[in-house]
Amino acid sequence: MMSSSRLVSRLIIFIIISTAFFTVGSIRLLPDSFDDASSDFMEAPAYQNGLECSVLAKNRLLLACDLSAVHIAMTLDPAYLRGTVSAVHSILKHTSCPENIFFHFIASGSSQGSLAKTLSSIFPSLSFKVYTFDETMVKNLISLSIRQALDSPLNYARSYLSEILSSCVSRVIYLDSDVIVVDDIQKLWMITLSGSRTIGAPEYCHANFTKYFTDQFWSDRKLSSVFDSKTPCYFNTGVMIIDLDRWREGDYTRKIENWMKIQKEDKRIYELGSLPPFLLVFGGEIEAIDHQWNQHGLGGDNVVSSCRSLHPGPVSLIHWSGKGKPWVRLDDGKPCPIDYLWAPYDLHKSQRQYLQYNQELEIL
C-alpha cells in the first residue's frame, strides 16, 4: 500500500526522467484483427514466492481449483491487451506469493488461442486458463449506451463468471483491464463477505445515485420499488470480490438479464452499459470495501478523456475508468500526469524507455 503523497513523489521523478525519452506517435498496439502479438511485448521478470508462502500445486490444472490460491478473473480483449498485461505485471510485482495466484481470462472465441500464446510468451511461469465467452448469450440483450466501448459483449462477461468459470471456483476477484495494483492482492482476497453478501466492492455513497437511471425508471413505481427498504450506493464494477457459490445459488445472472430485457424491450431505464443492472440487483446489499482498493475515474468521464488526480489517502489499486486510457494517451504524446504511474508496468516494446528507468522510482 502506498500513500497518495508517496505516489505523487514517484510521479514527479518519473516525469522528469521520462520526458526526454518520450516520443510522439508511438506504435499503436493492435489492428482491428488480432494475431499473435508476442513480438510486441518484452518478457516479464520471473516473480517467486517468499519463504512465508504456502506451497501449492505446481500443476496448473490443479491450481485452477485450489481453494488456497488467489483467483483473479479478467477479460482478454485485443483492444485492451496492453492494459491487461500491465495489470497482471503490477499484481505479480507487488504480491508476496505470486506463484499462488491463478488467473482466469475470458476471451471471445476468435482470439482465444492467439491471446493465450501471447500471454504465455510474456509470462512464461504464469498460472492461467483462457475461457471462451459465447457472445451470443448477451448480444441480443445489449442496448446502446453512452459510449461505444461499453457496448462490447465482452464487457458483460463479468455477469456470467459463475457460468464461464469451472464450478470448482467458488470465489474470485474480478478486475478491469485498466487498473494497476500497488499493494499485495492477498489483502483484498482475505476480505470477508459477511452474512449472505455475494459481492464486495468500494461504495461511494456521496455520489448522486439517481443519475444512474432515467426519469422513466424513477417515475415507474413498479420498477423503482426495487430499492424500497434499501440504502443503495454507487459502486464501480471494475473491482469486485465475488462469492461464486452464493451467486449460483441466487441465480444472479438471470436477475441481471431480466433488467437488461426490460431495458431492451420495454423502456429505457439507464444509459451506462453493464453497470446499472449490477446496481439494480446488488445496490444496498454489497460488502463495502475500503476506497483504497479502487481509486477510479482516472480516465475522465465517459465522454471526455480528462486528467484527474488521485484522491487523498492510502492507495492500493489505481483505476483508469472512463474514456481515457493511459497507453493511448502516452502513445499520442498527450499523457496526463497520473499516466506516468501506469507506465513502469507497461511491457510493450514501444515503451521500453520507461521500464529502463523504473529503478529510479524504487529508491523512493
Side-chain angles (χ1 to χ4, degrees), residues 39-60:
S39 61
D40 293 330
F41 291 92
M42 294 169 281
E43 184 177 315
Y47 295 104
Q48 298 179 332
N49 281 356
L51 296 176
E52 72 280 9
C53 301
S54 302
V55 179
L56 303 184
K58 294 295 184 182
N59 185 305
R60 295 183 186 183

Side-chain angles (χ1 to χ4, degrees), residues 211-226:
K211 74 176 184 179
Y212 292 99
F213 303 96
T214 64
D215 291 340
Q216 284 192 75
F217 171 81
W218 291 114
S219 62
D220 188 322
R221 277 298 301 150
K222 184 179 179 181
L223 297 177
S224 61
S225 63
V226 67

Side-chain angles (χ1 to χ4, degrees), residues 6-26:
R6 185 182 175 201
L7 280 170
V8 170
S9 297
R10 294 182 65 178
L11 177 58
I12 292 170
I13 293 293
F14 194 77
I15 292 173
I16 293 171
I17 292 171
S18 61
T19 297
F21 293 87
F22 188 77
T23 35
V24 178
S26 300

